[in-house]
Amino acid sequence: MLNERVFRTEDVPAEDRLAYWAERMAQTHAPVQVRSDHAEDFRATQRVLDLGAVTVWSATFPQVVVRRTPRLIRRSDPGLSHLSLVVAGTWTADWGDHEVVYRPTDLIVGDSSLPAEVRGDQGPVALVGLEVPKALLPLPRGLDGRAVPRRMTTCQGVGALLAQFLTRLCEDTGPYRSCDGPRLGTVLTDLVAALFAGALETGSALPTEVRRRNLVLRITSFIDEHLPDPELTPSVVAAAHHISTSYLHRLFQDEESTVAGRIRSRRLAGARRDLTDPALRTLPVHAIAARWGFPRPADFSRAFRNAYGVAPKDYRQMALEADRLARC
């Protein structure tokens, strides 16, 4: 089995339970200040899995306020990225410059180097937490933990995969051996790195040129996927990426062709391949044109002749004849 420990505040006298919980938080995450309306009898449980450099924990407890102050940071900073999946209850976090409300399925994204106050409701509240050394999650040069969003969704993409992994791991550790711990920690680290990378790519933290290039790559991929659609135009492409048509054109100023030019050239290249395919020799030219977003045969014939210097029908005949001779 994995290296696993369980802590219950009921194992100590009632008057010591909240202090005991603060001590657990210090060992699991970083030194914090803790207060609660249930200080006289704070009943909480924490289960900790040691996965090499990474720690995973699940916890259930009543209403609580947790503060990580600048003074505590100066005194001790383990250099951790902290992610908590909200399983039950509602949380409110004050990050200094903004406040965020978290509900079940949200990820609370913290940083041991940043001050914060996190408040749980009357509960019981439940979290699944993950502690990863920041050294294993390198941010782009010049960025710190503030660049990462404080709240992330687990409803789709990498966030959903991470949440499922954490939940299933905490539900049943039986199938794993102790030697699997570091391997599981590496998988979790890679998932968090991918989650952060995706958040930074869609945010404003990356350098302008990097964001511009990523957007161009997404746009060209979108164009290639939608070539058969005769309604594919620069304005449609721009709307799909939530940018103006004028900005779209500016993005492509330094590319080999304009947006409209790329759509046309990629369609023609696809039609040209189909015209030379012996398996499609019985498919009418106008049908091939329609497959590549040219609903009007005359428009296709004109565009094809302008690009290749010969009519589509003649090009097909020459290509098929060359193929026949090559087989003789």
Side-chain angles (χ1 to χ4, degrees), residues 1-308:
M1 292 183 62
L2 297 175
N3 187 0
E4 179 179 335
R5 294 164 291 156
V6 176
F7 301 90
R8 299 179 180 86
T9 58
E10 293 177 58
D11 294 337
V12 300
E15 64 271 18
D16 297 332
R17 289 173 181 174
L18 187 60
Y20 177 62
W21 187 250
E23 179 182 337
R24 290 304 317 146
M25 291 294 97
Q27 295 181 19
T28 306
H29 175 49
V32 292
Q33 295 176 353
V34 178
R35 68 177 188 270
S36 173
D37 295 340
H38 304 273
E40 294 181 358
D41 186 13
F42 191 83
R43 296 175 179 266
T45 301
Q46 183 187 48
R47 181 173 171 226
V48 180
L49 304 177
D50 291 326
L51 307 178
V54 173
T55 301
V56 170
W57 54 269
S58 59
T60 304
F61 41 92
Q63 180 274 340
V64 69
V65 178
V66 179
R67 294 186 67 214
R68 177 83 171 138
T69 66
R71 183 177 180 181
L72 289 173
I73 293 170
R74 290 192 298 269
R75 181 185 304 171
S76 175
D77 183 4
L80 295 174
S81 283
H82 163 80
L83 294 88
S84 289
L85 173 65
V86 180
V87 178
T90 301
W91 289 83
T92 302
D94 183 350
W95 299 106
D97 56 350
H98 68 295
E99 190 173 88
V100 183
V101 176
Y102 302 87
R103 294 180 174 82
T105 74
D106 286 340
L107 270 178
I108 304 173
V109 182
D111 186 312
S112 64
S113 303
L114 300 178
E117 179 178 286
V118 184
R119 304 181 295 275
D121 63 16
Q122 290 302 315
V125 292
L127 300 173
V128 174
L130 172 63
E131 314 291 338
V132 183
K134 290 190 290 183
L136 302 180
L137 302 168
L139 294 173
R141 183 176 299 178
L143 297 181
D144 60 17
R146 294 178 181 83
V148 180
R150 300 294 96 193
R151 174 186 175 276
M152 294 190 186
T153 180
T154 62
C155 295
Q156 59 185 4
V158 178
L161 188 60
L162 175 61
Q164 292 167 10
F165 193 108
L166 284 171
T167 301
R168 294 192 62 179
L169 182 61
C170 288
E171 286 176 347
D172 184 13
T173 61
Y176 305 105
R177 300 168 299 171
S178 59
C179 62
D180 292 327
R183 301 188 186 100
L184 294 170
T186 298
V187 172
L188 284 167
T189 299
D190 289 342
L191 286 173
V192 174
L195 183 69
F196 285 6
L200 290 172
E201 286 176 2
T202 58
S204 59
L206 289 179
T208 301
E209 179 55 29
V210 176
R211 286 187 285 117
R212 189 198 73 81
R213 192 67 214 154
N214 286 342
L215 180 55
V216 170
L217 291 174
R218 292 199 300 273
I219 290 172
T220 55
S221 177
F222 176 87
I223 289 173
D224 290 346
E225 291 174 3
H226 293 81
L227 290 173
D229 183 0
E231 300 300 322
L232 183 66
T233 63
S235 60
V236 170
V237 173
H241 292 83
H242 309 288
I243 59 177
S244 67
T245 304
S246 60
Y247 182 60
L248 175 66
H249 291 316
R250 290 200 300 274
L251 285 173
F252 277 75
Q253 283 178 348
D254 297 329
E255 302 300 312
E256 295 181 357
S257 64
T258 64
V259 179
R262 180 179 178 84
I263 293 173
R264 182 172 57 255
S265 64
R266 297 292 289 171
R267 281 173 168 167
L268 289 171
R272 183 185 183 185
R273 288 194 302 272
D274 285 357
L275 288 171
T276 61
D277 187 348
L280 299 177
R281 61 182 178 274
T282 60
L283 189 65
V285 171
H286 68 82
I288 288 177
R291 289 180 65 180
W292 290 99
F294 291 99
R296 291 184 288 272
D299 292 344
F300 171 67
S301 182
R302 181 169 54 253
F304 194 94
R305 184 185 292 273
N306 289 339
Y308 302 114

